[in-house]
Amino acid sequence: MILILTHVHRCQGRYIYMCFIFKEVTLSSSIPTNFELPVDRHVLSNGLRILLHKDSSSPVVCVAVYYHVGMRSEPKGRTGFAHLFEHLMFQGSQQLGKMELVSQVQSVGGTLNGSTRFDFTNYWEVVPSHALELVLWMEADRMRGPNITETELVNQRDVVKNEIKVNVLNRPYGTFPWLDVQEHAFDNWHNNHNGYGDMVDLDAADLKDVEEFFYRYYSPRNAVLCIAGDFETEEALGYAEKYFADIPAQELPVPVDISESQQFQERNIHKIDNMASRPALAVAYRTPERGTKEFYALGLLNSILTVGDDSLLRQRLVRQKGYTSSVSGSMNFLGHMHNAETPLVHTTSLIHDQDVSPDQILDDMDEVIASLKLDDFDEDLLVRAKTKVRSGLYGLLSGSGYPRFGVADLLSSFELLEGNAENASDIPRRFDEVSADDLVRTASNYLVPENRTIIRLEAGVSP
Amino acid sequence: MSGALLPRPELGDIRPFEANPREINKLDNGMEVSSFALGRAPLVFLRLNIRNHRVFNRESIWLERFSAQYLNEGGAGSYDPDSLAREFSSIGGQLHISADEAATTFSTTVPSESLSTALNLLGLAVKEPTFPEQEAERIRDNLLRELELSLDQPQVAAAQGFRNLVYGDDHHFGNLLPQREYLQEFGRGDALNYWSEQQSADRAHIYVSGQFDREVLVNEVESNFSNWKVGGVALGDLGPAVWNHKTRLFNRDQAEQSTIYMGLPVIAPGESDWIALEVLNALLGGSFHSRITLNIREDKGYTYSPRSALLTQPNDGVWLQMADVTTDVTAAAIKEILFEISRIRTDPPELDELQDIKQYMVGSFIRQMSEPVSRMGHFVFSDLHGISDDEDDHYIEQVMNLQPEDIRRTAETYLDPSRFSVSIAGDIDRIKDSLSSVEGLSPFETAT
């Protein structure tokens, strides 16, 4: 028997600032199982692409601006500059003082952040929907240009150096696996340099670099503005037009060449981590090209091999052999497979015991991969992988701590990287079309020694 | 490069937030069920919390973790560990079981159409775990690895030192890490005993959110959990955190940064000044635009991610400031933190500053209530601390009614630096002389 203890709470009236009301809702018995991300796409005369995704289930809205410039785009001799520049974009613009954008967003009850990825740099705010116009005004002001002096540059350089220390230099496994793998798996400087930045390069950055980088990359034509959440379409478009349309158009920057020549030989890297007490191993395979069937097949292989307690590498390396406590799989160190351009690597990594050799672990991994053969393929593996991928996709849309940001990220990434945000709704179909044959073929073409880089990390500290 | 500048717009009309309440039901065996629909993704989020029986025993530190991992990887009912993992996976979910000093938590997230199967598997995992003997050694080895990896982390060293100072050596919360010699002795019998003492339907609460069919939920909860036994050992009481004005240093040779944890016991959530304390925390160090962050990050560049927080346990709360700062400015950073605390204890904030931070708190509350998982977390927190949902109706009003003097008084009452515990992991040789110059720090002791 079920006894109802409490039921409805109601607020006693409108508060001056904001009202929080509990109301009863009728739950539908038919739960949708489709995956659709409706989006209205518009382009302003200066080339700024605008994406609108409505969701009025609560009065919050996410404004996200994606600039098509990331770690891969930064110039030689200025490693870490894309990331440093992201920090500088919070330091003030023509009508906003240092940190004023942050204080304005917080003061309306919102939150914000920014991040630098391989191919783009993004800035987003999640605010109560009545602050939409204010936020668009602020982002437009920022797009017109930062207002940076030597003082802000020096300050943020120190902050970034501290970020590198806390995340990389002052901890064990600080560069493992992502910086290590990127450095060795790729030959093209744009893909293999340290995107966090060398201290020397950070010190060398000056205000002229700031000006040139902004001028080259932070223009409307090189950006996507996504508004996701609670808004009226006409009103939101009107604000976008009002605040962004007269920002001068510029030519698109010449894209950097991120192509890689084909890899023919296995690469073996050995390194010592003087702060680590256990060895670690990473195996990174170059991926197929984004958007291809093989790319989605590799996404499913990642799910089969490394996602969840039933994944094959976890079963073998953790449960059966006890070499390690966990195995990680990744197709993009700075996000997921949907928000980066190829070339990428699929990396499996683990921290393991001293008494097992990396070669033994590699043999086990190879055996697991070799077991994916067409003649005795377990179809249930593929079915489960597709279910896990679908569940994971829904998960991307919920619960990041930034309501509506998950959907804004997917839409903006597809607009930037594939030229059409509507492609995001096509993700399930792309996975569904992968057959067992595609899966096995992709494994046998890509998950092979001559396509991989192996990082063997030796512990510099005795346990 | 610029078009015409337009003036800053005014805010639009506020749109009221309408949210459905959670419905709390109770089974005959005492298990509670909270549910609310929220979110557009067709997912259902399940989280089953079982309050722990808590009596401190040095030899059983991390026994709750050992047992949780054993539950997680041990299989249930007729399912061996592998087949149970496959069953969860086939409905797009994973079973996560974790435990801390306050609760053991079973959670999973699955596409909405799989609610029924998920509840069935969750019920099995809770009621019929098998604890296979052959898994014990591997799970114990996992924890030994976890222990070693934790010891390598400066943040863990600083946190351990801080918690040990404020809770003492004979307290669950004063011991983040176990001793290796005790951990090595854990076996199947320990997990079985622990679980038989812990598991009890009347200490359990399942939280369900996302999109789900209510009829399926009601039927499947009844069907899978109404036969769960009532038992276990009664909840024990824990001693509170205590003021302990000490500075403890943990040496890390050649460390590029010092990891600082500093703070003191305050009050528990739900007490009358709690909301004022939350607002004070956000103003002082708990938000991006807080005073300490603006000072030691945005002005001085000493650090990347300074933050203050209210650390809570049942019937207890601790305020602390954390920062990883460049080694050479360790003392300077601590001086600035103490300066900001002293300033807010003396001078009420300006009205505008307080108004902004109050709005930030209100907005944070609404965001938290706007997503399934964060709202679930809110209810878990309220239940752990005995806070009624009725308080949610008044939260915004209480925040907005706070005056500058309330914040100053709260700081003066609760944040007395002469009672601070300070824990630092860093290169002692390089920081100890300058630390001696920081007024108000107690003499150092070095952690072993």
Side-chain angles (χ1 to χ4, degrees):
Chain A
M1 173 191 158
I2 291 182
L3 172 71
I4 294 182
L5 283 185
T6 64
H7 205 63
V8 181
H9 309 262
R10 293 192 183 280
C11 89
Q12 300 303 307
R14 284 292 292 268
Y15 302 114
I16 294 173
Y17 302 95
M18 201 171 284
C19 189
F20 179 65
I21 303 171
F22 280 119
K23 74 167 190 180
E24 289 191 80
V25 294
T26 306
L27 296 178
S28 165
S29 60
S30 67
I31 305 291
T33 56
N34 57 328
F35 177 86
E36 277 187 30
L37 299 175
V39 57
D40 286 336
R41 300 167 67 227
H42 304 267
V43 183
L44 297 185
S45 55
N46 58 10
L48 178 65
R49 287 159 284 176
I50 298 171
L51 308 174
L52 302 175
H53 172 82
K54 280 192 77 159
D55 174 355
S56 297
S57 57
S58 62
V60 296
V61 63
C62 174
V63 172
V65 184
Y66 279 58
Y67 293 94
H68 205 162
V69 54
M71 292 175 177
R72 282 168 166 163
S73 326
E74 57 200 13
K76 287 185 180 176
R78 290 293 181 272
T79 58
F81 193 77
H83 174 230
L84 174 62
F85 194 88
E86 176 222 314
H87 278 244
L88 294 175
M89 286 290 275
F90 290 88
Q91 296 296 301
S93 47
Q94 292 183 61
Q95 298 192 81
L96 291 162
K98 175 183 166 84
M99 290 292 280
E100 194 179 349
L101 192 147
V102 176
S103 69
Q104 285 284 303
V105 169
Q106 280 200 185
S107 71
V108 297
T111 186
L112 76 170
N113 215 331
S115 69
T116 310
R117 313 292 181 92
F118 291 125
D119 307 294
F120 59 78
T121 306
N122 57 359
Y123 304 86
W124 69 94
E125 297 83 20
V126 179
V127 292
S129 40
H130 71 285
L132 173 63
E133 185 181 3
L134 174 67
V135 170
L136 291 171
W137 175 82
M138 291 194 293
E139 283 296 357
D141 201 55
R142 183 147 69 166
M143 192 179 284
R144 288 171 200 278
N147 186 16
I148 307 296
T149 68
E150 187 69 21
T151 305
E152 284 85 36
L153 177 60
V154 170
N155 166 250
Q156 288 306 304
R157 191 155 54 204
D158 286 344
V159 171
V160 166
K161 285 180 176 178
N162 269 295
E163 180 177 352
I164 295 169
K165 287 172 189 167
V166 74
N167 288 337
V168 178
L169 301 177
N170 196 41
R171 66 187 313 161
Y173 314 104
T175 58
F176 181 87
W178 80 280
L179 289 171
D180 296 328
V181 167
Q182 289 288 131
E183 179 183 352
H184 297 289
F186 294 122
D187 302 316
N188 183 329
W189 182 89
H190 290 287
N191 299 320
N192 71 14
H193 74 272
N194 174 0
Y196 240 148
D198 294 330
M199 294 296 184
V200 172
D201 285 356
L202 289 170
D203 281 334
D206 60 21
L207 290 174
K208 189 162 174 290
D209 295 318
V210 173
E211 191 180 338
E212 284 178 3
F213 197 78
F214 175 79
Y215 188 77
R216 182 172 303 150
Y217 292 113
Y218 277 70
S219 66
R221 198 182 299 279
N222 201 39
V224 168
L225 164 67
C226 181
I227 305 172
D230 180 38
F231 59 83
E232 297 300 328
T233 301
E234 290 305 312
E235 194 175 55
L237 267 180
Y239 295 151
E241 175 83 27
K242 180 178 176 183
Y243 295 115
F244 287 89
D246 67 347
I247 299 175
Q250 281 174 228
E251 290 301 308
L252 277 174
V254 177
V256 295
D257 177 7
I258 59 172
S259 63
E260 291 283 339
S261 53
Q262 194 179 344
Q263 181 178 347
F264 293 105
Q265 276 193 325
E266 181 177 277
R267 300 175 182 192
N268 284 279
I269 308 300
H270 173 264
K271 66 170 287 186
I272 300 173
D273 184 333
N274 287 323
M275 277 184 265
S277 58
R278 282 176 180 269
L281 175 70
V283 184
Y285 297 92
R286 289 193 185 177
T287 71
E289 190 180 339
R290 179 188 171 97
T292 60
K293 185 175 274 189
E294 289 77 13
F295 186 67
Y296 285 87
L298 188 61
L300 290 167
L301 282 165
N302 176 54
S303 185
I304 288 169
L305 292 169
T306 68
V307 177
D309 290 341
D310 69 319
S311 59
L312 299 184
L313 287 176
R314 179 182 162 76
Q315 291 275 322
R316 172 66 70 94
L317 305 177
V318 178
R319 288 192 43 75
Q320 292 166 18
K321 296 297 181 86
Y323 298 151
T324 179
S325 305
S326 62
V327 176
S328 298
S330 161
M331 286 177 67
N332 172 9
F333 292 117
L334 301 179
H336 48 73
M337 65 180 282
H338 306 296
N339 61 6
E341 183 56 275
T342 46
L344 291 168
V345 276
H346 175 271
T347 305
T348 303
S349 61
L350 54 123
I351 296 170
H352 62 89
D353 291 347
Q354 292 276 11
D355 59 6
V356 57
S357 75
D359 289 341
Q360 178 61 55
I361 300 172
L362 274 169
D363 286 347
D364 277 285
M365 292 171 86
D366 287 344
E367 243 182 68
V368 168
I369 291 167
S371 72
L372 297 169
K373 291 181 194 152
L374 208 50
D375 50 5
D376 59 348
F377 187 78
D378 176 5
E379 282 285 343
D380 195 39
L381 274 181
L382 182 56
V383 173
R384 284 208 308 275
K386 288 181 177 177
T387 308
K388 283 193 281 188
V389 161
R390 180 164 69 92
S391 185
L393 201 51
Y394 294 152
L396 287 179
L397 306 182
S398 350
S400 66
Y402 296 100
R404 318 293 171 256
F405 174 67
V407 65
D409 179 60
L410 271 184
L411 292 173
S412 303
S413 298
F414 275 83
E415 183 68 33
L416 273 186
L417 303 175
E418 296 191 8
N420 191 346
E422 290 169 4
N423 289 1
S425 292
D426 203 30
I427 298 172
R429 184 191 60 79
R430 295 182 182 186
F431 280 120
D432 279 347
E433 285 180 357
V434 175
S435 65
D437 184 56
D438 298 324
L439 202 75
V440 171
R441 190 183 66 253
T442 302
S444 60
N445 286 343
Y446 287 89
L447 302 184
V448 290
E450 56 270 30
N451 190 44
R452 73 186 177 190
T453 299
I454 298 166
I455 310 284
R456 294 171 171 86
L457 181 147
E458 182 183 332
V461 179
S462 302
Chain B
M1 187 210 75
S2 169
L5 297 180
L6 290 169
R8 182 178 313 216
E10 298 295 319
L11 293 173
D13 291 335
I14 293 167
R15 302 182 197 191
F17 179 39
E18 300 184 353
N20 53 317
R22 68 165 159 168
E23 185 174 300
I24 307 179
N25 305 316
K26 195 168 192 174
L27 303 184
D28 283 343
N29 59 10
M31 175 173 155
E32 290 185 281
V33 186
S34 285
S35 59
F36 57 93
L38 189 64
R40 290 182 80 179
L43 286 176
V44 60
F45 303 85
L46 302 170
R47 176 171 173 169
L48 173 63
N49 266 26
I50 306 167
R51 290 286 301 277
N52 282 347
H53 150 64
R54 301 159 300 169
V55 172
F56 177 70
N57 176 349
R58 189 170 311 284
E59 294 175 17
S60 64
I61 298 170
W62 278 21
L63 179 56
E64 74 279 354
R65 282 199 203 194
F66 177 70
S67 306
Q69 268 202 29
Y70 218 147
L71 284 163
N72 211 145
E73 300 189 26
S78 59
Y79 294 106
D80 64 24
D82 296 348
S83 59
L84 184 63
R86 279 196 297 274
E87 287 298 313
F88 266 103
S89 187
S90 68
I91 56 169
Q94 279 189 65
L95 176 62
H96 299 284
I97 306 176
S98 61
D100 60 19
E101 302 88 344
T104 301
T105 303
F106 293 65
S107 58
T108 191
T109 301
V110 296
S112 300
E113 74 270 16
S114 298
L115 173 62
S116 172
T117 311
L119 283 168
N120 179 257
L121 294 172
L122 206 54
L124 272 183
V126 170
K127 294 179 300 182
E128 301 178 36
T130 51
F131 295 107
E133 177 68 49
Q134 68 271 22
E135 300 292 336
E137 184 180 349
R138 186 178 62 78
I139 291 164
R140 191 172 58 229
D141 286 346
N142 283 352
L143 289 189
L144 287 166
R145 278 190 206 105
E146 210 176 300
L147 175 62
E148 272 178 24
L149 294 174
S150 298
L151 290 168
D152 293 341
Q153 303 289 339
Q155 292 80 13
V156 174
Q160 160 68 15
F162 179 76
R163 299 233 311 202
N164 192 257
L165 285 173
V166 295
Y167 285 103
D169 210 28
D170 296 321
H171 197 294
H172 271 301
F173 306 146
N175 291 274
L176 272 183
L177 305 175
Q179 291 175 26
R180 187 181 173 87
E181 68 208 70
Y182 296 135
L183 188 52
Q184 280 174 322
E185 298 302 315
F186 286 175
R188 179 173 188 263
D190 300 302
L192 276 173
N193 287 339
Y194 181 84
W195 187 238
S196 76
E197 288 182 354
Q198 299 312 311
Q199 66 129 341
S200 180
D202 62 350
R203 291 215 300 266
H205 195 144
I206 187 167
Y207 301 82
V208 182
S209 72
Q211 290 197 29
F212 55 89
D213 186 316
R214 190 177 177 284
E215 196 177 329
V216 171
L217 173 69
V218 169
N219 291 338
E220 293 296 335
V221 166
E222 174 79 25
S223 155
N224 289 294
F225 292 96
S226 61
N227 58 349
W228 187 9
K229 72 163 193 165
V230 176
V233 178
L235 288 173
D237 279 330
L238 283 171
V242 292
W243 295 306
N244 193 351
H245 187 46
K246 286 187 176 173
T247 301
R248 187 171 291 174
L249 306 181
F250 179 90
N251 191 45
R252 295 184 75 239
D253 280 335
Q254 309 295 319
E256 300 248 5
Q257 288 178 316
S258 299
T259 304
I260 302 167
Y261 275 53
M262 55 194 290
L264 77 176
V266 284
I267 49 177
E271 293 191 40
S272 61
D273 282 335
W274 181 256
I275 290 174
L277 199 56
E278 285 186 318
V279 174
L280 166 65
N281 175 60
L283 183 145
L284 192 55
S287 66
F288 196 3
H289 205 260
S290 60
R291 288 182 175 190
I292 292 174
T293 303
L294 288 178
N295 183 333
I296 63 175
R297 175 185 150 126
E298 290 300 319
D299 185 37
K300 312 281 190 321
Y302 291 162
T303 178
Y304 166 63
S305 53
R307 63 213 178 277
S308 70
L310 288 158
L311 179 71
T312 62
Q313 308 290 353
N315 309 314
D316 203 22
V318 167
W319 180 86
L320 77 161
Q321 170 72 39
M322 297 160 275
D324 294 87
V325 305
T326 295
T327 298
D328 294 345
V329 295
T330 304
I334 292 175
K335 281 180 187 170
E336 294 300 331
I337 292 167
L338 292 172
F339 165 76
E340 294 297 353
I341 292 168
S342 168
R343 186 157 73 99
I344 192 65
R345 297 181 81 218
T346 310
D347 305 322
E350 295 292 329
L351 267 177
D352 284 352
E353 183 188 14
L354 180 58
Q355 184 67 15
D356 286 354
I357 212 74
K358 290 195 296 193
Q359 288 281 21
Y360 169 70
M361 295 298 289
V362 169
S364 299
F365 176 68
I366 290 181
R367 281 197 310 280
Q368 183 178 30
M369 301 302 256
S370 300
E371 289 211 315
V373 175
S374 56
R375 190 161 161 208
M376 189 185 269
H378 170 79
F379 289 134
V380 169
F381 182 88
S382 296
D383 293 343
L384 182 63
H385 297 287
I387 300 170
S388 156
D389 287 5
D390 292 340
E391 295 294 317
D392 292 340
D393 292 347
H394 306 296
Y395 179 80
I396 292 172
E397 189 178 18
Q398 287 180 284
V399 169
M400 296 312 298
N401 283 342
L402 288 167
Q403 299 302 310
E405 175 56 22
D406 297 325
I407 301 303
R408 189 207 64 77
R409 179 192 55 77
T410 303
E412 185 182 26
T413 305
Y414 299 108
L415 303 189
D416 178 358
S418 72
R419 291 169 161 169
F420 273 17
S421 301
V422 179
S423 173
I424 304 170
D427 187 336
I428 292 181
D429 284 345
R430 287 174 62 199
I431 63 177
K432 65 182 177 189
D433 288 344
S434 60
L435 283 178
S436 306
S437 70
V438 181
E439 198 176 328
L441 279 192
S442 71
F444 323 132
E445 59 183 39
T446 304
T448 51

